[in-house]
Amino acid sequence: MKEAMKPTLTMMMCLALASLLCSCEDSTNWQTLEGGLAGQVLVLNSGSGTNSLSLCDPGRLQVQRDVAPTALLPNHAFQQGDRLFVTCSGDDRIVSYALGDSSLEVLESWSLNALDGRQAGELVYTPWSSLFFGGEIYTSLSARNEISAIPETGDSLRAFATGSWPQGLCLSGDTLYVACTGFSLSTLEFGPGTVRAHRLPSGEELWSTEVGANPQRLALTPAGELLVLCSGDYVLREGQLVVLDPRNGAESWNLPLGDFPGAMALDGRDLWLAAWGQYDLQPGGTQEGHVTRVSLDERAFDRGPENPWRVQAGATDLCLAGGRLFVSCYAQDALCVIQGDSLLECLPVGHGPGALLLLE
């Protein structure tokens, strides 16, 4: 039976539930940054004892490691103007940064526990991903099956209910789409996965659709399709791409993926996918991450799991920049670079690289 290394969903979840301390430091810069920030690939390092941000120049393929600290287990970032927000699942924090021309400065570190009047160390939220709408930061709270709304001032918190174990978020106008994985802490298994649409700012549910196992990522295409990446349960149910009508949640088509991909990046009508990679516990066994590509027009792979781009182990996230594809490889502390049909290079980037973001 095919087995795969479990991506950061389950692994990071267990680490987060075991962690109670904040690792966000008081210093604002760990290094003097070289060059402008716009156009650089931001890397969130969440390996044990690190919890930092790194930068990669996509043209020169030069890395500046550990340029700023974060809180524990950073797993998502978004940019709003000249500010950067990093969601950290390990201790229920969102860290805010000022983005200068060539500086990255910590402004605030908000505790969701404190905003809700809970005691320090009372891990109850497990925030996963965030986005900005109408002056508020909306965050998926996996362990509470809720979406929170926090003013940009970070001085209060409200929440509304969604499906089981929400992760990926996507926004179109005033409609928030939520990927609910169906994960259960009591059984450590994945129940039915759903995608739900909510109207903001009220949180009113507009529709809910059951999709494949463990939907983690969402993306809207310019053609008006809602892409849902279902990663599978890492055991029997493999991954699936489901395409929905964002107006009502009706399924347009789906594609079995033959692996357990946990990340996607849209490039026109091509969709890149990254899977953590197979592993072999026998002596001499190998590890590698896999990158594949789907043509949305053909509704099929143009390079599939039988002949993937092979990168280092723990392929966790993808980012397109400067005509190149960057792949964070958590298990081997690397940022691998693909151009055309070639794997150009794998760069040391920090301990436990995970989420990626192209800075504007």
Side-chain angles (χ1 to χ4, degrees):
M1 181 179 67
K2 182 187 290 187
E3 293 184 270
M5 289 290 288
K6 294 186 178 182
T8 52
L9 166 67
T10 305
M11 179 184 65
M12 305 271 277
M13 235 293 301
C14 293
L15 286 172
L17 292 173
S19 304
L20 297 178
L21 298 176
C22 172
S23 65
C24 186
E25 302 185 2
D26 292 334
S27 62
T28 56
N29 279 332
W30 288 1
Q31 294 182 8
T32 299
L33 304 183
E34 299 177 4
L37 297 182
Q40 296 215 37
V41 177
L42 179 76
V43 185
L44 277 61
N45 300 307
S46 54
S48 176
T50 304
N51 302 301
S52 70
L53 306 180
S54 295
L55 293 170
C56 177
D57 185 314
R60 295 182 296 172
L61 297 183
Q62 293 180 348
V63 172
Q64 299 178 77
R65 298 182 58 170
D66 302 328
V67 298
T70 74
L72 195 63
L73 296 181
N75 51 264
H76 183 264
F78 75 92
Q79 183 178 349
Q80 179 68 24
D82 60 358
R83 294 184 70 182
L84 175 73
F85 299 89
V86 176
T87 305
C88 303
S89 64
D91 54 10
D92 293 342
R93 285 184 177 269
I94 296 176
V95 185
S96 168
Y97 302 79
L99 295 175
D101 291 337
S102 58
S103 64
L104 186 61
E105 178 185 352
V106 176
L107 293 177
E108 298 175 275
S109 178
W110 302 324
S111 164
L112 277 71
N113 279 348
L115 291 177
D116 201 24
R118 296 178 182 271
Q119 298 298 314
E122 189 178 354
L123 189 68
V124 292
Y125 285 104
T126 316
W128 200 260
S129 61
S130 303
L131 49 75
F132 188 82
F133 173 81
E136 293 182 300
I137 300 165
Y138 288 83
T139 303
S140 53
L141 306 180
S142 294
R144 291 177 64 90
N145 302 337
E146 291 179 340
I147 304 297
S148 74
I150 303 171
E152 195 175 4
T153 53
D155 55 7
S156 62
L157 179 149
R158 64 183 179 87
F160 57 84
T162 189
S164 176
W165 208 267
Q167 287 201 331
L169 302 177
C170 189
L171 184 67
S172 178
D174 64 353
T175 302
L176 176 70
Y177 302 100
V178 185
C180 301
T181 68
F183 183 74
S184 168
L185 270 180
S186 60
T187 65
L188 298 181
E189 295 178 346
F190 292 95
T194 61
V195 174
R196 295 168 187 259
H198 297 270
R199 190 183 307 281
L200 300 182
S202 68
E204 172 196 0
E205 184 172 288
L206 303 177
W207 54 257
S208 174
T209 297
E210 189 169 321
V211 292
N214 187 15
Q216 292 191 43
R217 303 290 182 101
L218 301 173
L220 280 162
T221 73
E225 304 149 301
L226 179 59
L227 307 181
V228 185
L229 177 60
C230 303
S231 296
D233 62 6
Y234 315 119
V235 183
L236 296 177
R237 296 176 292 174
E238 292 184 328
Q240 186 179 31
L241 175 66
V242 180
V243 182
L244 302 180
D245 184 334
R247 296 169 299 181
N248 54 22
E251 181 176 320
S252 300
W253 57 277
N254 69 76
L255 177 69
L257 300 178
D259 206 340
F260 306 97
M264 64 180 176
L266 187 61
D267 183 16
R269 297 298 291 169
D270 291 328
L271 185 69
W272 294 87
L273 303 171
W276 181 273
Q278 305 300 330
Y279 73 105
D280 185 350
L281 297 180
Q282 300 302 316
T286 60
Q287 285 186 304
E288 61 185 16
H290 295 163
V291 175
T292 55
R293 191 171 61 204
V294 171
S295 167
L296 297 179
D297 289 330
E298 299 296 328
R299 301 185 179 184
F301 283 103
D302 65 11
R303 185 160 173 179
E306 72 285 349
N307 180 33
W309 285 269
R310 301 177 188 277
V311 295
Q312 294 191 2
T316 305
D317 204 6
L318 302 169
C319 182
L320 290 153
R324 293 167 170 169
L325 181 75
F326 293 81
V327 188
S328 58
C329 297
Y330 182 93
Q332 291 180 280
D333 300 342
L335 188 64
C336 291
V337 186
I338 293 172
Q339 185 169 10
D341 286 332
S342 302
L343 175 62
L344 290 184
E345 197 168 350
C346 289
L347 309 165
V349 73
H351 188 40
L356 303 176
L357 177 68
L358 180 62
L359 296 177
E360 300 176 352

